[in-house]
Amino acid sequence: MSLLEAQKRVLSGMRPTGRLHLGHYHGVLKNWVRLQHEFDCMFFVADWHALTTHYEEPHVIEDNVWNMVIDWLASGVNPGSATLFLQSKVPEHAELHLLLSMITPLAWLERVPSYKDQIAKLSNDRDLSTYGFLGYPLLQSADILIYKAGHVPVGADQVPHVELTREVARRFNHMYGRDPGFETMAEEAIRKLGRKNAKLYRELRTQYLEQGNQASLEKARAVVQEQQNISLGDRDRLFGYLEGGGKIILPEPQALLTENSVLPGTDGQKMSKSYGNEISLREDPDSVEKKIKTMTTDPARVRRSDPGDPDKCPVFKLHEVYSDEDTKSWVRNGCTSAGIGCLDCKGPLIDAVLAEQQPMRERARQYEENPDVVKSIVSEGCEKARTIARATLEDVRSAMGLDYR
Ligand code: TRP
Ligand code: SF4
């Protein structure tokens, strides 16, 4: 696996904190389902991350783990295209976390915005002044770097964690990617490219290093990529040398910002389990219908004869996700003229949500009835993940000079 191929790898994780709902589907899972066709996707259950806040009740995690995987599968995440696995079954994450902890300044962790926010928000319920909680984002860095993932689909709140990951990777490469003979070895590797390609590589490298010409960098990478007969070590060296520094052992990932579709829950606030306003992915149809029928509407529309304003109505926000243009203008006209009642308005929405959930319920049922199938999907995924993770750790140990026997 070369660095360039690894850049096509997408990795993301989710903490197993309960049943997933429509907000997760529209915010995250739909995106995963789309990405799995374009990239080499790895999706994992971040059960150790759940432990950083739920360490007093670890027994609740197991149930959530399997239900979450079923929710993913129900949403259309396809184990034939994406690798699904459990963090805690790939202990290599923990070793990388430990090694990275040696070079991570405390201040980098303390300034991550979610750290202080979460402590302020949750510290009434539990004590978060733990070592594990402080290390949360670094464990996340290890999750990402151990697969040398190029892209990490996350919501805006997680971007600082990916940023930290980039800084840690840069520091690591700077510290350990530069064996004393690096330059000499890189020059030797260039000569192995053959006269023509060596000349081209040098020209492109100069263009990039002196003028910051991105296109030259990409061309030079392609030259390296096309070489059949050079070793992986030389290849990585040649990639690293292009950017001036040493060998890139842990490539810097990019955040793939998931569009912020904030789906309102039944009370009009953001859909979230903590508000108890969610419609879960596997909610039964009667309950879906009841929840939408009693969902909050434009508060100014008290009587059927009062006109309403869709822009002030959470039900309309759902129409924006679920309905076509015709339906939306039917709502707009009917609402502002009091031509339709709120129950009329909710009718097509109920149909749309139920239609969306129908195939999910079908898929989920198969997995609920065959829990062994779910377990074997995950254990296969864990094996695949471990193979990659082990290889990265070998690189890391050897870069740090820890490969002695
Ligand atoms: N912290 C992420 C969240 O709460 C979950 C997570 C853990 C993650 N490790 C990750 C996401 C690695 C992306 C990549 O949503
Ligand atoms: Fe909201 Fe629809 Fe009622 Fe208008 S008619 S207030 S958009 S539920």
Side-chain angles (χ1 to χ4, degrees):
M1 164 70 54
S2 75
L3 282 180
L4 272 197
E5 283 167 54
Q7 296 305 94
K8 295 204 192 103
R9 182 170 295 141
V10 161
L11 173 115
S12 200
M14 234 189 244
R15 276 174 306 142
T17 49
R19 290 295 180 98
L20 301 187
H21 52 64
L22 296 180
H24 295 110
Y25 179 68
H26 289 279
V28 183
L29 292 169
K30 244 181 13 184
N31 197 36
W32 285 12
V33 170
R34 192 170 50 78
L35 289 167
Q36 71 185 350
H37 303 298
E38 295 166 41
F39 295 93
D40 165 17
C41 285
M42 309 192 63
F43 300 129
F44 73 97
V45 181
D47 50 351
W48 280 337
H49 276 111
L51 212 48
T52 62
T53 49
H54 291 60
Y55 56 86
E56 283 183 290
E57 33 181 2
H59 46 275
V60 305
I61 294 175
E62 175 173 12
D63 214 27
N64 289 338
V65 165
W66 301 115
N67 274 316
M68 191 161 81
V69 175
I70 292 179
D71 282 334
W72 292 355
L73 295 166
S75 301
V77 174
N78 178 352
S81 324
T83 306
L84 309 184
F85 66 99
L86 281 189
Q87 183 185 39
S88 66
K89 295 287 174 282
V90 189
E92 285 77 8
H93 292 223
E95 185 176 339
L96 184 59
H97 178 209
L98 175 106
L99 294 174
L100 296 176
S101 78
M102 303 300 167
I103 64 161
T104 305
L106 265 184
W108 290 12
L109 295 173
E110 286 162 347
R111 71 164 190 237
V112 170
S114 58
Y115 181 62
K116 289 198 182 90
D117 291 357
Q118 290 278 85
I119 285 204
K121 218 164 80 188
L122 299 176
S123 60
N124 289 332
D125 312 339
R126 57 206 126 185
D127 182 10
L128 289 181
S129 53
T130 59
Y131 184 48
F133 189 70
L134 179 67
Y136 182 112
L138 191 63
L139 177 58
Q140 184 162 349
S141 300
D143 297 337
I144 298 168
L145 295 174
I146 197 120
Y147 301 107
K148 303 188 180 183
H151 300 280
V152 185
V154 284
D157 63 317
Q158 297 289 313
V159 170
H161 295 177
V162 179
E163 223 18 77
L164 171 80
T165 305
R166 292 169 61 85
E167 282 167 28
V168 170
R170 213 172 299 146
R171 187 169 166 95
F172 185 94
N173 294 328
H174 183 74
M175 238 178 235
Y176 307 117
R178 206 183 277 265
D179 37 300
F182 180 77
E183 205 122 321
T184 328
M185 285 164 81
E187 283 297 329
E188 244 165 61
I190 294 176
R191 277 193 292 279
K192 290 185 205 154
L193 294 175
R195 188 195 290 266
K196 214 175 98 219
N197 281 329
K199 180 157 173 271
L200 185 56
Y201 176 96
R202 285 208 174 87
E203 279 168 10
L204 292 167
R205 176 173 184 265
T206 311
Q207 281 165 20
Y208 174 66
L209 288 180
E210 288 177 6
Q211 294 144 38
N213 190 334
Q214 200 65 31
S216 306
L217 173 65
E218 266 147 44
K219 261 190 237 155
R221 280 181 175 159
V223 171
V224 176
Q225 187 63 18
E226 280 160 19
Q227 300 299 312
Q228 308 287 334
N229 48 358
I230 54 172
S231 69
L232 277 184
D234 274 347
R235 198 183 289 265
D236 287 350
R237 225 166 259 128
L238 288 168
F239 282 131
Y241 196 49
L242 274 178
E243 293 176 66
K247 190 168 151 186
I248 295 177
I249 299 149
L250 301 174
E252 291 178 36
Q254 307 267 345
L256 209 59
L257 196 61
T258 322
E259 259 177 76
N260 224 3
S261 99
V262 178
L263 211 70
T266 50
D267 61 355
Q269 301 186 79
K270 177 186 164 160
M271 191 178 286
S272 162
K273 196 174 63 107
S274 53
Y275 300 139
N277 64 358
E278 80 276 23
I279 295 174
S280 72
L281 288 187
R282 289 182 264 158
E283 187 101 31
D284 77 59
D286 291 341
S287 169
V288 171
E289 188 172 346
K290 204 163 117 211
K291 284 188 174 177
I292 297 179
K293 278 188 169 158
T294 53
M295 180 167 171
T296 307
T297 61
D298 173 4
R301 194 170 187 203
V302 183
R303 274 175 296 267
R304 167 72 174 76
S305 53
D306 297 334
D309 180 355
D311 295 323
K312 294 188 180 135
C313 178
V315 174
F316 191 69
K317 289 217 183 72
L318 290 185
H319 273 295
E320 284 179 328
V321 173
Y322 281 94
S323 301
D324 58 18
E325 290 308 318
D326 284 351
T327 309
K328 280 185 283 186
S329 58
W330 169 77
V331 170
R332 209 169 260 292
N333 295 333
C335 177
T336 51
S337 65
I340 60 169
C342 291
L343 276 181
D344 304 322
C345 172
K346 289 169 171 179
L349 200 54
I350 294 170
D351 294 342
V353 173
L354 291 178
E356 177 180 72
Q357 288 184 326
Q358 175 59 29
M360 292 191 198
R361 260 191 302 272
E362 277 297 302
R363 280 191 289 256
R365 196 177 43 79
Q366 292 175 27
Y367 292 113
E368 285 160 359
E369 284 167 7
N370 300 289
D372 288 350
V373 174
V374 180
K375 299 216 167 170
S376 78
I377 288 170
V378 170
S379 73
E380 237 172 75
C382 290
E383 274 315 304
K384 265 200 227 161
R386 264 199 107 167
T387 306
I388 303 168
R390 279 198 198 104
T392 304
L393 256 189
E394 259 174 50
D395 293 352
V396 165
R397 290 195 199 113
S398 107
M400 294 177 78
L402 298 172
D403 51 351
Y404 41 79
R405 289 167 197 280

